[in-house]
Amino acid sequence: QVQLVESGGGLVQAGGSLRLSCATSGLSFSVYTMAWFRQLPGKEREFVAGISRNGANTYYSDSMKGRITISRDNAKNTVDLQMNSLKPEDTAVYYCAADYRRRFLISSTTTDYDSWGQGTQVTVSS
């Protein structure tokens, strides 16, 4: 079973950057499709970015595409989310998630993910 722990959140001014990291434990990290989701205040959890098992393919939400980069290091069992040009509307709890059921597809649906981290708060001030 995979355990996910997010870190790197915090308070940043609009236009600033943050790098979130998700540390994992468990066997065969490389067989999991990984993704980042976020939950804005009062809203449902939404997809942010995903990355395939070998890191060759990525998929980004329209809301943050061009401002974020997802990456993974299968040797360190980590997945990161670099966020730039942050906006106040990016304020949310950001979650790391793992999908072990799909081999090729990067899903944007919360129910397709099998393991979740506890979340890390990102607050962007105006």
Side-chain angles (χ1 to χ4, degrees), residues 9-10 13 37 39 53 86:
Q13 290 186 324
F37 288 76
Q39 189 163 16
R53 294 177 175 185
L86 287 166

Side-chain angles (χ1 to χ4, degrees), residues 6 9 12-13 15 19 24 32 34-35 46 49-51 56-57 59 66 69 83 88 94 103 105 108 112 114-115 120:
E6 302 96 333
V12 64
Q13 290 186 324
R19 188 177 184 89
T24 71
Y32 292 90
M34 302 297 298
E46 65 182 37
I51 188 166
N57 299 309
Y59 178 43
T69 302
M83 304 190 295
Y94 285 73
R103 180 171 293 180
L105 176 68
S108 61
D112 285 336
D114 306 289
S115 298
T120 185

